Amino acid sequence: MKIRLPSLNEKMLELYTLKYAQSPFASPAKGTMNRIVYAAAHVVVQPMKSGNPWNETLSIDWDKTLAFREYLWRLGFRVAEAMDTAQRGMGLSWEESAELITRSAAHAKTIPGAMLSCGVGTDQLNFNAETTIDDVLQAYRAQFEVVNRAGVSAILMASRALCATAKSATDYRKVYSTLLQEAKDKVILHWLGEAFDPSLHGYWGSTDIPTAMDTVLSIIEANINKVDGIKISLLEAKWEIELRRRLPQGVKLYTGDDFNFGELIAGDGERFSHALLGIFDPIAPVAAHALVALANGDLQHYQEIIQPTVQLSREIFCAPTRYYKAGIVFLAWLNGHQDHFSMLGGMQSARSMPHYCTIFRLADQAGALIKPDLAIQRMKQFLAVYGGIEAE
């Protein structure tokens, strides 16, 4: 199976031969996993509905969006709902997020064993210089109420409003301790680095990561009865390893490191990370096979499967990292989970044609093109429209 693609030096076209005419991961993995793994899932829009994608939320295709979550559940993943992978804060408003949470929670109840956790933030709050810490608390509480009504657990997301309003680490301790003690059930904390959102620069009250880590650990230790774990997304393995080492017993570390997740999930023989990752959205069938191999004690096979997906992930999440959602949806389209490559906010335009071509190559090499025939057909359509490259 072959396709003409722009060459890696971007000066000419070359004939690329796919590694896999049929993905070895097309059939579901047989076995169980010994890690808790959340896939943060994207949303599917309805491009036929009118709307201005730059300043209005386009209509959500609820059938396709929920079908994709069902696909993840049936592969053995938990779903992290209404997170940044769903374009939260970059096209998906709180009103649509609330509906997404409600619909996903209802659908999860129809799928045996489906597990769902949902993002709680403050994105409905139009903050300014007059915003107070109490305003931030009230915004968080309003979103907690929606998640509680849906009957699912919460992921306490990082807040742009809190980052802009807090004067010191003391304000973070106040907000998080208050919310944790008010929470009905244990929650997952969310440390999102500024590579994902520049507005979160200096989160936890310091630009010094060791100091910020001391603050978040003090919050966890003071509220250990309400903390299931913490997701950390700093894209530097050393910080995750250090935080993992220092966490109180019983508190889980969920890797959010889309650059180094393979080694972090495997662990060092003493400690390992669970996972809550956006990259699990497009590589779910491949990752499931790797995770089952890991659970079976076959570390070599795990590494053989997972390493090519890490290379793919590093391309999808390359700087500016916050635009990674485009690569996620691109692969969802290539793999037939939706009928178009359209996104909230016109986000499909956020990456270049060479970037998408590299994703295609790396996805093939990782076995993540589950339907290669369809992927080639759609890639040809993409090249014709996006780059004026006509198929031969």
Side-chain angles (χ1 to χ4, degrees):
M1 300 179 69
K2 299 180 179 182
I3 182 173
R4 281 199 316 155
L5 296 173
S7 64
L8 295 177
N9 64 17
E10 303 172 12
K11 293 182 179 179
M12 56 185 292
L13 296 177
E14 64 180 11
L15 199 61
Y16 175 75
T17 301
L18 270 69
K19 178 179 180 179
Y20 292 110
Q22 182 175 352
S23 172
F25 310 109
S27 298
K30 295 179 180 179
T32 57
M33 304 175 191
N34 62 354
R35 303 291 190 265
I36 298 172
V37 286
Y38 283 91
H42 74 283
V43 295
V44 184
V45 301
Q46 295 190 71
M48 298 294 286
K49 298 286 186 179
S50 62
N52 183 347
W54 284 99
N55 57 24
E56 294 177 23
T57 298
L58 294 178
S59 298
I60 303 296
D61 184 331
W62 293 113
D63 290 340
K64 292 284 188 181
T65 295
L66 295 176
F68 188 76
R69 280 134 182 83
E70 182 171 337
Y71 161 78
L72 293 171
W73 282 319
R74 295 195 184 280
L75 286 172
F77 291 86
R78 300 184 182 193
V79 170
E81 187 59 277
M83 304 294 291
D84 51 298
T85 303
Q87 294 183 246
R88 187 83 177 264
M90 291 187 74
L92 188 74
S93 71
W94 164 239
E95 289 75 16
E96 282 75 26
S97 298
E99 184 171 0
L100 178 60
I101 289 167
T102 302
R103 286 176 178 263
S104 291
H107 194 60
K109 292 170 184 173
T110 70
I111 309 298
M115 300 289 288
L116 181 73
S117 295
C118 299
V120 168
T122 63
D123 40 325
Q124 81 276 35
L125 178 61
N126 295 317
F127 58 92
N128 53 43
E130 304 301 316
T131 302
T132 66
I133 292 298
D134 284 340
D135 293 331
V136 174
L137 271 170
Q138 286 305 112
Y140 265 128
R141 283 170 173 147
Q143 295 200 14
F144 257 112
E145 200 172 312
V146 171
V147 172
N148 289 340
R149 281 202 307 268
V152 293
S153 60
I155 301 167
L156 188 48
M157 299 175 70
S159 163
R160 293 173 180 171
L162 177 57
C163 194
T165 304
K167 301 295 189 292
S168 69
T170 301
D171 287 332
Y172 285 89
R173 292 190 185 95
K174 175 185 176 181
V175 169
Y176 277 85
S177 291
T178 301
L179 293 171
L180 288 169
Q181 287 309 306
E182 291 176 356
K184 291 175 59 180
D185 303 301
K186 287 188 174 185
V187 307
I188 297 173
L189 303 184
H190 189 209
W191 186 353
L192 193 66
E194 62 185 277
F196 288 88
D197 188 342
S199 301
L200 300 177
H201 178 69
Y203 209 74
W204 307 115
S206 179
T207 57
D208 178 65
I209 292 177
T211 302
M213 190 177 296
D214 288 342
T215 297
V216 72
L217 282 165
S218 71
I219 292 170
I220 292 170
E221 289 162 358
N223 301 278
I224 194 168
N225 62 319
K226 290 296 183 71
V227 179
D228 170 71
I230 179 170
K231 167 191 159 86
I232 179 171
S233 302
L234 299 183
L235 302 182
E236 286 192 69
K238 66 178 182 179
W239 298 125
E240 178 170 325
I241 291 168
E242 175 65 10
L243 178 59
R244 189 172 70 189
R245 182 186 67 81
R246 296 177 61 188
L247 282 176
Q249 186 174 2
V251 177
K252 303 177 189 71
L253 195 296
Y254 292 94
T255 187
D257 188 335
D258 298 278
F259 283 4
N260 305 291
F261 61 90
E263 64 185 83
L264 291 164
I265 292 170
D268 55 16
E270 184 179 355
R271 298 179 179 86
F272 62 83
S273 296
H274 299 282
L276 197 166
L277 290 162
I279 192 57
F280 278 168
D281 177 307
I283 68 163
V286 185
H289 279 264
L291 290 162
V292 168
L294 182 64
N296 290 338
D298 193 343
L299 182 59
Q300 181 179 345
H301 191 42
Y302 165 79
Q303 291 173 337
E304 288 171 352
I305 297 172
I306 209 71
Q307 281 309 310
T309 71
V310 172
Q311 297 307 311
L312 169 62
S313 187
R314 289 178 178 177
E315 178 65 25
I316 291 175
F317 286 78
C318 69
T321 300
R322 61 189 179 277
Y323 298 131
Y324 76 87
K325 296 91 170 173
I328 301 288
V329 176
F330 182 64
L331 284 176
W333 173 58
L334 291 183
N335 279 322
H337 295 293
Q338 53 194 79
D339 301 325
H340 55 79
F341 181 35
S342 297
M343 299 176 66
L344 295 172
M347 184 69 72
Q348 67 273 11
S349 67
R351 296 292 204 184
S352 68
M353 187 183 70
H355 171 76
Y356 290 122
C357 291
T358 301
I359 287 176
F360 180 90
R361 288 185 176 92
L362 292 174
D364 164 54
Q365 291 160 29
L369 297 180
I370 304 303
K371 299 177 180 179
D373 286 331
L374 178 64
I376 283 181
Q377 175 191 332
R378 290 187 168 182
M379 191 67 189
K380 288 178 178 178
Q381 294 171 353
F382 170 80
L383 291 170
V385 173
Y386 214 81
I389 300 171
E390 295 298 334
E392 291 185 343

